[in-house]
Amino acid sequence: MHLRFVLSVSVLCCRFLMGCRWFHQWKLFVESGDQNSSCFPGEIDNTELFEDTLSYRLKERLVENEDFVLVPVCVWNKLVSWYGVVEEQPAVERKVVDLPSTLKVEVYPVEIFLCLHSNMENVIAAQFSRTNNIWMVSTHTLEIKLGQNADGTWPSSKPQVTNSVEYRGQPGVCGLTNLGNTCFMNSALQCLSNVPPLTEYFLGTSYLKELNFSNPLGMKGEIAEAFADIIKQMWSGRVQCVVPRIFKMKVGHFASQFLGYQQHDSQELLSFLLDGLHEDLNRVKNKEYIELRDADGRPDQEVAEEAWRNHQRRNDSVIVDTFHGLFKSTLVCPECHKVSVTFDPFCYLSVPLPVSTERVMEVFFVSLDPYAKPVQHRIVVPKAGKVFDLCTALSEATNVPPTQMVVADVFNHRFYKIYTAEEALSIILDRDDIFVYELSAQEEEQGEVVLLALYLRERSSYKEYGMSLFGHPLLLNVLQSSCSQEALYSLILQRLQSVPHTCTEEKNEEEDQEEKEEAGAAAEARSPSPVTNKHPAKRRKQLFTIQEVNSNGTTERAAQPYVAIDWDPDMKKRFYNENEAEMYVKHANMDIPHQQTKVQLQECIELFTTVETLEEENPWYCPECKKHQLATKKLDLWSLPEVLIIHLKRFSYTKSTREKHTNGVSPSGSSDGCFVCLRVHRRTPPTCSFTTAKTN
């Protein structure tokens, strides 16, 4: 009834996803007001939104207005009719529910696995909106002819029995069917299934006597019963694989965030499940109010025992018996040095991983040698380093001094950004196309040196759009005294001489003479003598003309020195090989995997118990100072449970960023991290180690 109500007061429509980079380039083109502007964006290109160009599957965790924008259907159709779309690239259409006060967009639709009965060999994954109905799923399935008979009808729904012999296997050695992105749930269930005290409890009948149907914080025993059913099937020894469909339905009913078939965090599911099982099996039927007392200098042992008794007076279940322990929390006021000690129960540890101080980056190095193709390098740089550190690391592989390098982000045939040596590497994203250009060494006594950004343009076949950019831009450092048209023409011609012409027609004497003159110009540019600013006595026909432009490649004047070389389409076709110019080679270091690092679990626990200062958003109220203070806080493990669950956090969060640790562990089913269960035989922190590798 609730769903019907929402749909009855909302409007269902569609939107199209569009990559922010193309969209922003289009805005620049429109805002320029010049139809001849060379910031013409070209075909709509959403490559940055996809994992690859084979499946065209959307990348995970795309953010609106950072990675994509949403445009109405009419806008999308107009843009496609004007500019077209990159060949074979699909349009990304999504359903939108326009509510009175908000707009809900379904960026990641539900993925349904279509198969015939229990035959999992020919499985086809298809995406559907939550607003679709069964008839639409059935129609789509018929269209792809999954499991159809020759006459186009569905086969009989009667399951086919392939083996009449009852399966007998080892109890507990049992798989869980992936219902569609449910590996996060299955991994948590497998983990808990292999906790002996918990499994033995549910294989018996004692849990039936302890089901708490009246607990307002519980799920009326339904989560406990569904979990017990899964455990009994997995440990029966009669099945190889269990389909946890009923369990998933129960979880989604009580925790709406797990509805549907999207990917989730294993630890989030595990936390919900442990809390739900505890409340469903809580032996305390009526929870009494307990007033907490301050330590007031009492011995830690006394305060800890009191805290544990108070906890058990309100919480008493198999989950508490198996998984709960005690933290010791120590707060110290920075002003009056008041010390506050409390003991708090916990069900699992969420420990941070040691933060790597290094970062792996992939860049393209463009040599001064005009015959050398760009080389792709994989380099290791300081995570908190600067652009100069990137140049220093690349210098070791290229033998080019870092002072003769300039780093730039290249996008859509133009410089998206040219970085200074002191800028932080953190502003460069892994998805950016980073080019590092080698510059010629210039002596200061020769005069002032100008860094020249060079774009390649040609007259567009669409007359209304004027010039259009192509190829990779270049960076040159030239003497200001050599910035005349003739001198620049010679320098640029020398820089482009590695790109052979593609003329296949017979050349007449005039064309031969032109090419000889161009070769002579290139030889002149390579000579050590400075190029004169005077015009030659005989004017020859040039391959291209030079035009001052701005950073977008338009003909408007700009403060920074950007120039474009404009090619006539016929001259470009004869003398410029675009395919050859776009090629690059990979350096040997691209094949070397990043070295694995060994992380001690003890390191993670030590990081967890390190003294920290509270943030301004979460101060502590000091009872002595009578005001909020940014106190220091230290957590210690006072007592450990029989089974200790440790959650390894792969992400760290700040006010505005979310960083993934590249040395994180990521087993199947865990998007934010992973967890391990340890049997504890003594009341001290466990010590073990594990090896981690870089994960995508």
Side-chain angles (χ1 to χ4, degrees):
M1 293 298 293
H2 175 69
L3 178 62
R4 291 180 181 175
F5 171 75
V6 171
L7 292 179
S8 67
V9 297
S10 64
V11 177
L12 189 63
C13 54
C14 294
R15 293 286 190 277
F16 283 87
L17 269 67
M18 180 176 289
C20 274
R21 280 198 169 189
W22 189 93
F23 183 73
H24 290 155
Q25 189 61 44
W26 173 77
K27 285 179 63 179
L28 288 173
F29 173 64
V30 174
E31 290 168 358
S32 68
D34 181 9
Q35 291 297 313
N36 296 321
S37 168
S38 63
C39 78
F40 173 60
E43 294 179 322
I44 298 174
D45 188 358
N46 287 335
T47 303
E48 63 195 271
L49 303 182
F50 301 112
E51 292 282 1
D52 54 67
T53 55
L54 295 177
S55 65
Y56 286 107
R57 188 183 186 90
L58 281 183
K59 293 179 180 178
E60 294 182 14
R61 305 180 187 276
L62 293 176
V63 179
E64 185 179 2
N65 296 325
E66 290 184 14
D67 302 303
F68 69 89
V69 294
L70 291 160
V71 296
V73 175
C74 58
V75 174
W76 172 263
N77 291 337
K78 277 293 185 184
L79 291 175
V80 171
S81 67
W82 292 338
Y83 305 101
V85 183
V86 172
E87 185 179 2
E88 297 183 357
Q89 195 174 100
V92 185
E93 184 179 8
R94 289 295 183 263
K95 302 279 185 170
V96 175
V97 178
D98 192 358
L99 300 172
S101 59
T102 185
L103 193 73
K104 289 193 174 182
V105 184
E106 186 180 45
V107 177
Y108 296 98
V110 176
E111 190 171 63
I112 297 179
F113 294 91
L114 307 174
C115 63
L116 177 62
H117 304 309
S118 59
N119 179 13
M120 299 297 291
E121 294 180 359
N122 298 316
V123 178
I124 296 177
Q127 290 185 336
F128 296 92
S129 169
R130 291 174 176 81
T131 61
N132 292 149
N133 52 34
I134 298 299
W135 179 84
M136 298 180 72
V137 175
S138 176
T139 302
H140 179 75
T141 307
L142 283 171
E143 289 175 354
I144 61 177
K145 298 184 178 180
L146 175 66
Q148 272 185 283
N149 291 329
D151 59 358
T153 61
W154 283 97
S156 170
S157 60
K158 183 179 179 180
Q160 299 179 0
V161 179
T162 57
N163 189 357
S164 60
V165 179
E166 186 178 359
Y167 172 78
R168 289 292 180 183
Q170 182 179 347
V173 182
C174 179
L176 291 169
T177 300
N178 190 336
L179 304 176
N181 288 330
T182 57
C183 49
F184 73 94
M185 180 184 76
N186 292 354
S187 60
L189 288 174
Q190 288 284 12
C191 186
L192 293 183
S193 171
N194 287 279
V195 176
L198 191 65
T199 296
E200 291 168 5
Y201 174 82
F202 279 102
L203 290 178
T205 59
S206 58
Y207 81 93
L208 294 171
K209 303 174 184 178
E210 296 181 349
L211 286 172
N212 191 333
F213 300 105
S214 60
N215 187 352
L217 300 178
M219 287 82 174
K220 303 187 184 304
E222 293 183 33
I223 287 294
E225 289 180 324
F227 181 77
D229 183 60
I230 291 288
I231 295 298
K232 288 177 180 179
Q233 290 185 65
M234 295 178 68
W235 287 84
S236 67
R238 295 192 296 270
V239 291
Q240 289 179 293
C241 188
V242 174
V243 182
R245 184 170 287 108
I246 301 299
F247 178 81
K248 185 185 182 304
M249 290 175 58
K250 294 291 184 183
V251 169
H253 175 72
F254 291 104
S256 59
Q257 67 267 31
F258 297 116
L259 282 171
Y261 294 88
Q262 301 298 313
Q263 294 181 356
H264 293 281
D265 176 21
S266 286
Q267 175 62 21
E268 184 182 356
L269 185 279
L270 183 67
S271 175
F272 161 78
L273 182 54
L274 290 175
D275 184 63
L277 290 175
H278 161 64
E279 297 295 354
D280 271 1
L281 299 166
N282 199 343
R283 303 177 187 115
V284 179
K285 306 302 180 183
N286 297 305
K287 296 186 179 183
E288 58 180 306
Y289 172 75
I290 299 173
E291 186 174 354
L292 300 179
R293 295 173 56 198
D294 194 73
D296 287 333
R298 290 182 293 160
D300 285 348
Q301 185 67 34
E302 178 185 339
V303 180
E305 290 176 354
E306 179 184 79
W308 185 250
R309 286 194 305 270
N310 289 339
H311 179 58
Q312 287 189 311
R313 286 163 64 184
R314 294 174 56 85
N315 303 278
D316 183 15
S317 69
V318 66
I319 302 301
V320 174
D321 298 340
T322 308
F323 298 107
H324 283 207
L326 271 184
F327 286 140
K328 176 186 176 182
S329 176
T330 305
L331 289 164
V332 180
C333 177
E335 189 172 318
C336 70
H337 305 292
K338 161 73 176 177
V339 178
S340 174
V341 177
T342 58
F343 292 85
D344 304 299
F346 69 88
C347 189
Y348 54 85
L349 297 183
S350 287
V351 299
L353 288 166
V355 179
S356 173
T357 59
E358 295 181 338
R359 174 185 177 186
V360 178
M361 298 184 68
E362 294 182 1
V363 300
F364 294 92
F365 177 71
V366 183
S367 170
L368 267 180
D369 182 358
Y371 294 96
K373 292 181 175 62
V375 181
Q376 188 180 25
H377 288 263
R378 177 178 291 153
I379 56 176
V380 180
V381 296
K383 184 175 290 186
K386 298 181 179 180
V387 170
F388 185 78
D389 297 312
L390 185 156
C391 298
T392 302
L394 190 58
S395 175
E396 298 179 5
T398 60
N399 294 321
V400 174
T403 53
Q404 288 180 226
M405 294 182 183
V406 173
V407 179
D409 180 0
V410 175
F411 173 71
N412 202 15
H413 314 298
R414 54 175 59 82
F415 291 116
Y416 195 74
K417 181 175 175 59
I418 299 176
Y419 298 96
T420 64
E422 294 302 312
E423 288 189 89
L425 288 175
S426 59
I427 65 176
I428 300 179
L429 305 180
D430 291 336
R431 64 171 180 256
D432 294 340
D433 291 327
I434 300 301
F435 283 69
V436 181
Y437 294 86
E438 178 186 2
L439 303 178
S440 59
Q442 300 283 359
E443 300 294 336
E444 292 184 1
E445 55 269 18
Q446 291 181 322
E448 185 177 351
V449 178
V450 177
L451 180 65
L452 198 66
L454 178 66
Y455 291 160
L456 282 71
R457 304 193 304 182
E458 71 168 319
R459 189 177 299 112
S460 174
S461 55
Y462 302 98
K463 293 183 179 180
E464 63 269 25
Y465 296 133
M467 308 298 291
S468 62
L469 295 173
F470 68 92
H472 292 311
L474 295 171
L475 284 174
L476 306 172
N477 59 336
V478 298
L479 294 172
Q480 191 171 23
S481 59
S482 301
C483 287
S484 68
Q485 288 276 344
E486 291 298 326
L488 285 179
Y489 182 85
S490 297
L491 289 172
I492 294 169
L493 189 64
Q494 177 190 12
R495 193 70 181 86
L496 298 176
Q497 65 182 328
S498 62
V499 185
H501 67 77
T502 58
C503 180
T504 58
E505 302 174 359
E506 288 189 12
K507 298 186 288 291
N508 54 34
E509 292 182 2
E510 182 181 352
E511 290 173 339
D512 285 339
Q513 182 62 28
E514 287 177 1
E515 292 188 18
K516 288 178 182 178
E517 291 177 355
E518 299 299 343
E524 178 188 0
R526 290 193 296 271
S527 65
S529 59
V531 179
T532 176
N533 291 336
K534 296 180 181 179
H535 293 283
K538 182 180 179 180
R539 183 74 179 180
R540 63 182 181 274
K541 186 175 181 181
Q542 294 186 328
L543 296 179
F544 49 79
T545 59
I546 302 174
Q547 175 69 48
E548 185 177 356
V549 296
N550 61 14
S551 59
N552 292 321
T554 66
T555 53
E556 299 172 1
R557 291 294 181 96
Q560 291 180 304
Y562 287 82
V563 298
I565 59 173
D566 295 341
W567 292 73
D568 180 84
D570 292 334
M571 298 296 284
K572 180 194 170 197
K573 183 177 180 180
R574 288 175 53 200
F575 294 100
Y576 189 89
N577 188 329
E578 196 162 355
N579 291 333
E580 182 76 15
E582 294 284 344
M583 295 180 66
Y584 67 92
V585 296
K586 290 188 176 183
H587 192 271
N589 57 26
M590 288 293 296
D591 299 324
I592 302 175
H594 188 47
Q595 186 178 5
Q596 293 185 336
T597 57
K598 190 173 183 180
V599 178
Q600 297 290 330
L601 185 56
Q602 188 67 27
E603 292 179 61
C604 303
I605 295 176
E606 288 174 357
L607 282 173
F608 177 77
T609 57
T610 300
V611 177
E612 61 179 0
T613 302
L614 297 180
E615 297 179 347
E616 293 183 2
E617 296 78 12
N618 187 30
W620 170 65
Y621 184 81
C622 176
E624 296 292 333
C625 299
K626 305 297 183 183
K627 62 180 179 180
H628 288 90
Q629 298 280 15
L630 299 182
T632 59
K633 181 179 180 180
K634 187 179 190 304
L635 285 177
D636 291 294
L637 304 180
W638 179 262
S639 63
L640 299 180
E642 181 178 358
V643 176
L644 176 63
I645 299 176
I646 301 178
H647 169 219
L648 306 175
K649 297 192 292 186
R650 290 170 57 228
F651 290 92
S652 59
Y653 299 85
T654 63
K655 297 177 184 177
S656 57
T657 63
R658 174 179 178 273
E659 181 184 3
K660 179 178 179 180
H661 298 170
T662 55
N663 63 338
V665 182
S666 181
S668 176
S670 180
S671 59
D672 177 58
C674 74
F675 50 84
V676 291
C677 288
L678 302 174
R679 292 295 298 274
V680 179
H681 298 287
R682 48 192 169 84
R683 313 298 273 185
T684 56
T687 302
C688 65
S689 66
F690 52 90
T691 301
T692 67
K694 179 183 178 182
T695 56
N696 294 323

